[in-house]
Amino acid sequence: MSKTAELIIDGKSYTLPLVVGTENEVGIDIAELLEKTGAVTLDLGYKNTGATKSAITFLDGDKGILRYRGYSIEELAEKSNFLEVAYLLIFGELPTQQQYNTFSHDIKTHTLVHEDVKKILDGFPSTAHPMGVLASLFCSQTAFYPESLDPNRAVDGVYLSIVRSMAKMPTFAAWAYKNAVGHPVNYPDNSLDYCSRFLKMMFALPAEQYEVDPVVASALDKLLILHADHEQNCSTSTVRIVGSSKASIYSSLSAGINALWGPLHGGANQEVIVMLEQIKKDGGDTEKWINKAKDKNDPFRLMGFGHRVYKNFDPRAKIIKKAADDVLGKLGINDPVLEIAQKLEEAALKDPYFVERKLYPNVDFYSGIIYRALGLPTDLFTVMFAMGRLPGWIAQWKEMRENKEPIGRPRQIYTGATQRAYVPVGTRG
Ligand code: SDX
């Protein structure tokens, strides 16, 4: 394999170094391109552009491979748990039993939030989308922990911010939900594991006992593992670029939450259920909706289908599809939209439009069906995605800071007006 690439501009040849990763991905290092050639590259949406070198997550879109720190998503989903996967992503290795116990204990001791958070929560109308509440509560942590604003803090300070973020995410998420339904918030019960603690904060009511269903807690734990990281996706790139200005971890994570909210990204899991309900209400005619998705004059897209990178099955979608059958079976739930989803997938995977464009179900296509079976309200689905993605965002932010990466500042190709003289208002128009 050659170590360089040759670029010819106006007959002049330039040699650019090649970078090869541990999975043999090849990158053209253009760090000196502008200085050497006077030209920049242009790549809308960065589909062909590597923004960094990272040792955290590897995915192969053609082969449908996803690995966290070298471990396959299939193995981790089957054998690990969310906190262990969070530790693996953030610190690079699977924890020893002692390391796991310490990490889990440290998180438990930070699950409470400052009582003044309730005043912020009270400022939100019950109609506020929980993602907006979550992003605000995360950013508010800069006010309660002003030392986090110091970009040069010692490593242990970063560890404390990491533990606080992991610890308070479920509390924020559950409190955002309680604010939406007008119920009193619940305090975390540290005798429970991570997912059970969240479920109890979500669904317990002061008027009665609440027991967490282990089937529900286990299914949620698996879903959080599947969402934990995904290379340089939209929200992770947002966390990195905000963090590159040495903004605090809380501001960076809040920015990631906002990016994830979009319906083309994490917001798709909510849109999938809205779409399936629409199809059900419309009589379940999947062919009609497939044709709408194919119609260039129709803004409708098949939500939960397609991916920026996967041009094969999203390995997470396969695992979630199987888990959906298991969970609904164990909970004795017969959700008609599951059948519609399966019919839609079957029809789309045979249709040339989707086959030619390599559009497959992605992580969001089936996840909403499980969240709904777990009793979660639709507008909390993307909050679940954020809870899962949190350790990935943290790991990527930490790697970017440890590698002392420069502040992110992409260039552009200017296409606006060339120089022109100012015109007094009386002579315009
Ligand atoms: C996530 O990046 C990540 O890793 C993200 C994520 C993560 O874990 O972080 O995996 C999570 O965001 C999953 C994606 C969730 N979004 C959706 O399900 C929304 C529906 N999907 C699309 O909007 C779309 O597929 C994207 C945005 C996901 C990907 O868009 P691309 O790769 O830029 O594809 P494109 O928009 O260039 O489309 C290519 C063609 C177009 O048709 P032509 O112009 O070639 O005729 O495919 C068509 C598109 O119109 N197309 C679809 C479609 N997705 C693409 N047509 C109908 N339905 C769809 N869903």
Side-chain angles (χ1 to χ4, degrees):
M1 152 68 93
S2 151
K3 294 201 182 324
T4 59
E6 184 185 7
L7 179 66
I8 296 173
I9 301 179
D10 287 344
K12 192 172 175 204
S13 166
Y14 301 88
T15 301
L16 298 168
L18 293 182
V19 177
V20 183
T22 49
E23 290 285 352
N24 297 316
E25 295 165 303
V26 178
I28 304 170
D29 184 338
I30 58 170
E32 295 177 2
L33 181 74
L34 181 57
E35 191 187 329
K36 278 184 173 172
T37 71
V40 296
T41 57
L42 182 63
D43 183 19
L44 299 184
Y46 311 116
K47 207 164 189 171
N48 307 283
T49 300
T52 189
K53 290 191 275 192
S54 176
I56 299 169
T57 291
F58 171 70
L59 62 90
D60 182 319
D62 293 324
K63 295 186 188 130
I65 291 172
L66 173 58
R67 297 191 199 117
Y68 297 159
R69 301 280 189 184
Y71 297 95
S72 77
I73 193 65
E74 291 81 4
E75 271 212 288
L76 291 171
E78 191 195 326
K79 299 174 185 169
S80 187
N81 67 61
F82 178 60
L83 274 199
E84 181 176 79
V85 167
Y87 188 98
L88 170 67
L89 286 166
I90 295 168
F91 302 106
E93 297 296 335
L94 285 171
T96 61
Q97 189 58 59
Q98 179 54 46
Q99 289 167 331
Y100 179 80
N101 295 347
T102 303
F103 188 54
S104 177
H105 170 270
D106 289 347
I107 286 173
K108 281 191 181 183
T109 54
H110 289 278
T111 52
L112 282 172
V113 295
H114 194 291
E115 282 293 296
D116 282 355
V117 166
K118 286 184 184 172
K119 293 178 189 150
I120 301 170
L121 208 52
D122 288 346
F124 282 99
S126 57
T127 50
H129 193 291
M131 280 297 275
V133 177
L134 188 67
S136 307
L137 295 184
F138 248 96
C139 212
S140 76
Q141 295 307 284
T142 52
F144 296 103
Y145 307 110
E147 70 282 4
S148 67
L149 294 171
D150 171 3
N152 303 309
R153 287 175 61 227
V155 173
D156 68 298
V158 171
Y159 176 76
L160 185 53
S161 299
I162 288 171
V163 159
R164 279 176 169 149
S165 298
M166 287 297 296
K168 298 178 194 313
M169 167 63 91
T171 308
F172 287 154
W175 284 22
Y177 168 64
K178 289 299 193 185
N179 181 64
V181 293
H183 292 175
V185 296
N186 291 312
Y187 287 100
D189 174 352
N190 286 344
S191 69
L192 299 172
D193 65 50
Y194 197 82
C195 288
S196 303
R197 192 161 59 232
F198 166 70
L199 290 165
K200 186 172 179 182
M201 282 192 280
M202 274 289 294
F203 298 120
L205 290 168
E208 51 205 37
Q209 285 301 317
Y210 178 81
E211 283 300 316
V212 176
D213 180 334
V215 172
V216 174
S218 162
L220 180 59
D221 193 275
K222 186 191 283 269
L223 281 165
L224 296 181
I225 289 173
L226 293 168
H227 287 79
D229 194 47
H230 212 242
E231 202 215 61
Q232 303 308 316
N233 59 83
C234 177
S235 53
T236 299
S237 303
T238 303
V239 170
R240 275 183 169 254
I241 202 159
V242 171
S244 73
S245 74
K246 293 199 174 180
S248 86
I249 189 170
Y250 301 118
S251 319
S252 307
L253 294 173
S254 175
I257 293 168
N258 281 301
L260 186 72
W261 193 358
L264 292 188
H265 191 14
N269 59 16
Q270 172 169 349
E271 294 304 319
V272 167
I273 289 293
V274 168
M275 171 185 77
L276 293 174
E277 284 291 359
Q278 219 176 356
I279 296 173
K280 187 181 89 175
K281 203 162 140 227
D282 184 47
D285 179 354
T286 47
E287 278 309 310
K288 169 185 168 186
W289 288 85
I290 293 265
N291 291 329
K292 276 173 68 67
K294 291 157 60 178
D295 178 356
K296 287 297 154 211
N297 301 318
D298 190 326
F300 174 75
R301 278 196 162 180
L302 209 53
M303 299 313 277
F305 255 76
H307 199 274
R308 289 296 266 148
V309 178
Y310 287 126
K311 299 307 172 191
N312 191 324
F313 245 93
D314 180 335
R316 302 165 298 176
K318 274 188 187 169
I319 299 168
I320 292 179
K321 180 179 176 183
K322 184 181 176 304
D325 286 333
D326 292 349
V327 170
L328 270 66
K330 280 180 188 161
L331 296 175
I333 294 173
N334 173 24
D335 187 341
V337 295
L338 176 60
E339 201 186 310
I340 293 178
Q342 287 162 339
K343 260 179 74 181
L344 210 52
E345 176 191 355
E346 238 171 79
L349 294 184
K350 283 190 291 212
D351 186 297
Y353 173 93
F354 291 87
V355 173
E356 283 153 21
R357 290 165 178 80
K358 298 183 179 177
L359 303 176
Y360 290 88
N362 58 50
V363 67
D364 295 308
F365 190 64
Y366 284 102
S367 56
I369 290 168
I370 299 186
Y371 290 139
R372 186 153 84 161
L374 302 184
L376 292 158
T378 307
D379 66 5
L380 221 79
F381 291 2
T382 312
V383 169
M384 291 300 98
F385 195 143
M387 192 182 297
R389 187 52 52 87
L390 182 64
W393 287 335
I394 290 170
Q396 301 268 353
W397 180 90
K398 181 171 171 283
E399 180 181 68
M400 178 270 303
R401 293 289 287 271
E402 285 170 349
N403 292 348
K404 297 185 172 30
E405 294 191 10
I407 184 168
R409 205 284 187 206
R411 302 306 300 272
Q412 63 168 23
I413 297 296
Y414 177 69
T415 57
T418 53
Q419 188 171 8
R420 49 186 173 164
Y422 181 81
V423 179
V425 66
T427 61
R428 290 175 206 157

